[in-house]
Amino acid sequence: MLPPRRDPRWPRDFHHRRTSDLLSPRQAYELLRVFPPRAERDGSGVPVVDALPLPPAGPGEISVTWLGHASTLLRVDGVTLLVDPVLAGGIPGAGTRLRPSPVTPEELPHIDAVLLSHDHYDHLDAPTLRRLPRSTRVLAGGGSRPLLARLGFTDVTELDWWENVEVGGVTVEFVPAHHWSRRTLLDTCRRLWGGWVVTGAGGRSVVHAGDTGYGPFPARIAARHRDLGHDLAVAVLPIGAYAPRHLLRGVHMDPAEAVRAAADLGARHVVPIHWGTFVLSGEPVTEPHERVRAAWVRAGRDLADLWDLPIGGTRAL
């Protein structure tokens, strides 16, 4: 078992990495008041398909399967990575899922590693993680080891921004995000948050932005990987939980900002995520999907390159 102690490499907290202010208690109350009434929390307009069996994805291929919210299966060069798995029927603060998970943890294929963007309950779900083999390799931001050790995981790698490790022949890099972290009132920003870039042997990459507001990081990620000769071919970007903007601009992109982030990254293909699964803000359930399609067209981009998947759907490159 891993000792549930904090690695001395990490500071006590990562407040110095924040790029936006936290919500005050008054602002948090204001946000809760604008959530859609329960009668309007209808997920029937969010398509869901059976996620299994997955189509083949071998060497030289990138495959993305959306499992709802930010939960995503990435398969690169035959390596299978599970990002932010939240497959339970509900989470604290958001209630039950609007649409069911297309798979149970037991129905997932073999996972080479789990990638956790940060510790918020809609991205790090303890009930889901407890149903995975405890020997599963887990990658997460600095300061996350004690929490994951308490969940029983024995192979945990903590990363700082711009650090990378090899998983089955692909390179997995932890990259910055315009966000923050907390699970309780006493651990604000104790664990580092971020996104992921997964690069295959041929230099073609997929970006999973985790949870983020719009800011300078997509352009910086693109510049770094351009210098390395990589092609950021596919970007998995959040588009939901953005209203009202004066409260959530610092932590969540809206659909138009996601399209701008795709341009900053130089990504040809985009998979919109972080919508249609939980109620976390004030916009109507299906509005993010409608707005991202409109923003994509306004930007002069081909709708065929917007991989707006149903929950459980897969696209491959």
Side-chain angles (χ1 to χ4, degrees):
M1 291 288 291
L2 289 169
R5 298 191 300 270
R6 193 175 184 86
D7 190 318
R9 173 188 179 195
W10 307 115
R12 174 177 171 77
D13 61 56
F14 294 95
H15 278 286
H16 61 291
R17 299 288 186 91
R18 285 195 294 110
T19 47
S20 65
D21 293 332
L22 302 177
L23 292 184
S24 68
R26 183 173 183 175
Q27 289 173 318
Y29 177 68
E30 180 184 350
L31 176 61
L32 289 173
R33 290 193 61 176
V34 301
F35 277 23
R38 292 196 176 276
E40 297 177 12
R41 300 184 188 187
D42 181 7
S44 61
V46 181
V48 178
V49 299
D50 186 1
L52 296 177
L54 295 171
E61 290 186 293
I62 291 175
S63 173
V64 179
T65 302
W66 184 39
L67 302 178
H69 200 54
S71 304
T72 312
L73 273 175
L74 304 179
R75 290 179 295 159
V76 180
D77 286 2
V79 175
T80 300
L81 305 168
L82 177 61
V83 186
D84 289 358
V86 180
L87 306 180
I91 56 171
T96 58
R97 294 176 69 107
L98 300 175
R99 300 293 274 161
S101 171
V103 293
T104 66
E106 293 78 14
E107 292 171 332
L108 290 167
H110 169 75
I111 303 299
D112 293 291
V114 171
L115 314 184
L116 298 174
S117 66
H118 66 303
D119 64 8
H120 286 160
Y121 283 92
D122 59 321
H123 292 258
L124 194 161
D125 181 53
T128 297
L129 292 174
R130 288 192 180 101
R131 292 169 65 180
L132 299 177
R134 299 302 197 279
S135 59
T136 303
R137 188 175 185 184
V138 182
L139 310 183
S144 301
R145 179 188 296 264
L147 171 61
L148 295 166
R150 288 195 295 272
L151 292 174
F153 288 94
T154 58
D155 186 355
V156 177
T157 302
E158 298 174 294
L159 297 170
D160 203 345
W161 289 346
W162 309 119
E163 287 190 328
N164 66 73
V165 295
E166 297 294 315
V167 178
V170 304
T171 301
V172 181
E173 181 183 30
F174 195 50
V175 294
H178 188 43
H179 205 65
W180 62 297
S181 66
R182 183 171 71 194
R183 286 183 78 81
T184 74
L185 293 176
L186 302 177
D187 64 356
T188 302
C189 296
R190 292 292 303 276
R191 307 172 188 95
L192 187 58
W193 55 94
W196 302 96
V197 179
V198 182
T199 305
R204 199 162 59 169
S205 305
V206 56
V207 181
H208 190 297
D211 208 355
T212 184
Y214 181 74
F217 294 133
R220 294 177 188 174
I221 293 166
R224 173 180 174 85
H225 284 269
R226 186 165 53 245
D227 290 344
L228 294 171
H230 297 164
D231 171 20
L232 300 181
V234 182
V236 182
L237 299 177
I239 65 167
Y242 52 78
R245 291 311 286 145
H246 71 283
L247 295 179
L248 294 174
R249 184 180 303 278
V251 291
H252 292 148
M253 293 191 287
D254 67 18
E257 289 169 335
V259 174
R260 289 172 60 192
D264 293 345
L265 289 164
R268 177 177 176 184
H269 305 284
V270 167
V271 178
I273 61 166
H274 206 271
W275 74 281
T277 311
F278 299 108
V279 173
L280 299 171
S281 57
E283 76 272 5
V285 170
T286 59
E287 182 182 276
H289 179 249
E290 297 159 2
R291 288 184 56 182
V292 77
R293 289 178 64 87
W296 194 261
V297 171
R298 283 197 307 273
R301 304 193 62 164
D302 188 344
L303 272 176
D305 292 330
L306 183 67
W307 293 356
D308 49 348
L309 299 174
I311 295 176
T314 299
R315 288 289 296 270
L317 183 64

